[in-house]
Amino acid sequence: MIRWLHDLCYEQGSAAFMIFSKNLFLLCLVALLTGCAGTYRTYAEMFELAFTPATGAALPFSELTAPNPDYLYVRLGDQPRAVMGLLFIEQAQFKWTSANNIVLVTEQGRIVRSLGLPNDLLHTSNRTADPIKAKRFDNSEWTRQLDWSAGEFGYTVTSTFTEQANETLTFFGQQINAKKVIETLRYDNPTAYLRFDGAWQNIFWYDETSGKLLQSQQQLAPGTPAYEIIFISEIARQLQQSGVQIAGDAI
């Protein structure tokens, strides 16, 4: 239905219909994501977040520590950094939306599905065996099948993991000791497209004290730009709980 709306809007060239179809897209999205007992956001909060443009690529500390929906900073390749807000938590999946209606679905910080991208990640299998969930990395291996909307389905990807301690991240002028986890992904299937990149890496940075994921670099498919994701609301919470004094307008 969403593809039909897009095609019809393109053919007619109607600006009014484009606005209607985008709003209907969000209504359909909400209908798809609701209905689970774990959902805790109200409809009013969801629509306020979905229809209000992001306030910018950097939010003040006071807003990040207020009782607002959680936020991410997201950068795709060399593009400017954007803000995404938490729309839902359902069945241990966090569903984030941007002002231009892109949706990323994460589990323990890993992107497992997307909506609104040129080549969406449609499905990730064997998610319960992901070492990211157990936070056991050295000598770990994980195999799953991935589906992408560009026409590749059931492709096998295998990951191995290594850890590096004594990393340092800096946010709001404060240094945070972190552990870096490097995930090396291998893509062995015969492909529908000519590829020269059968392997790539994702990187995850965890707070050494709390074990919380603070930042990641994730590539959803071989040959595509990586997403830099900063879990900025979690970072603000960690700093606030540590008792560090940070000005409310700090960004």
Side-chain angles (χ1 to χ4, degrees):
M1 183 181 68
I2 294 170
R3 185 177 297 278
W4 174 80
L5 286 171
H6 179 274
D7 292 343
L8 183 58
C9 182
Y10 178 81
E11 292 172 3
Q12 294 186 357
S14 169
F17 191 85
M18 174 68 79
I19 295 171
F20 169 78
S21 65
K22 289 177 69 176
N23 291 350
L24 185 58
F25 170 89
L26 283 174
L27 289 172
C28 294
L29 176 61
V30 169
L32 288 172
L33 297 182
T34 54
C36 173
T39 301
Y40 70 92
R41 300 293 183 198
T42 67
Y43 287 140
E45 287 175 316
M46 287 185 289
F47 282 119
E48 181 181 0
L49 179 60
F51 289 110
T52 302
T55 56
L59 301 177
F61 188 80
S62 59
E63 183 167 347
L64 294 168
T65 51
N68 295 321
D70 277 9
Y71 294 103
L72 301 176
Y73 290 162
V74 180
R75 186 196 308 273
L76 175 59
D78 296 328
Q79 295 182 15
R81 187 169 69 182
V83 175
M84 299 190 77
L86 181 61
L87 183 64
F88 278 110
I89 300 176
E90 289 185 323
Q91 299 178 325
Q93 291 187 336
F94 286 61
K95 299 173 181 179
W96 308 87
T97 186
S98 66
N100 60 345
N101 304 331
I102 290 171
V103 174
L104 298 179
V105 181
T106 64
E107 291 185 2
Q108 297 296 316
R110 180 191 294 281
I111 301 172
V112 297
R113 189 156 51 93
S114 68
L115 182 65
L117 302 176
N119 184 19
D120 275 317
L121 177 60
L122 301 178
H123 176 69
T124 302
S125 73
N126 196 26
R127 299 192 308 276
T128 57
D130 185 356
I132 291 292
K133 289 190 172 183
K135 296 183 180 178
R136 299 190 187 98
F137 304 112
D138 277 340
N139 302 315
S140 295
E141 186 173 285
W142 177 43
T143 299
R144 69 279 200 191
Q145 280 72 48
L146 303 178
D147 296 341
W148 293 285
S149 62
E152 297 176 290
F153 302 96
Y155 280 66
T156 300
V157 173
T158 299
S159 294
T160 56
F161 298 80
T162 58
E163 296 182 26
Q164 293 181 6
N166 302 319
E167 291 281 320
T168 301
L169 300 175
T170 302
F171 297 101
F172 301 104
Q174 306 295 318
Q175 290 190 336
I176 302 174
N177 294 327
K179 174 178 67 177
K180 181 166 72 172
V181 175
I182 301 172
E183 176 189 18
T184 301
L185 301 89
R186 187 178 69 249
Y187 181 85
D188 294 329
N189 291 70
T191 68
Y193 308 100
L194 181 63
R195 293 201 186 281
F196 301 97
D197 48 359
W200 68 98
Q201 289 186 336
N202 291 336
I203 304 175
F204 302 84
W205 287 267
Y206 293 87
D207 185 292
E208 281 194 344
T209 302
S210 67
K212 297 289 188 178
L213 180 61
L214 305 180
Q215 183 173 326
S216 70
Q217 177 182 304
Q218 301 182 51
Q219 189 174 329
L220 301 189
T224 61
Y227 282 87
E228 177 194 73
I229 302 176
I230 297 174
F231 296 83
I232 193 63
S233 289
E234 182 61 49
I235 291 166
R237 277 194 296 271
Q238 293 291 313
L239 292 173
Q240 187 179 47
Q241 291 169 9
S242 72
V244 176
Q245 297 299 312
I246 298 175
D249 59 354
I251 57 177

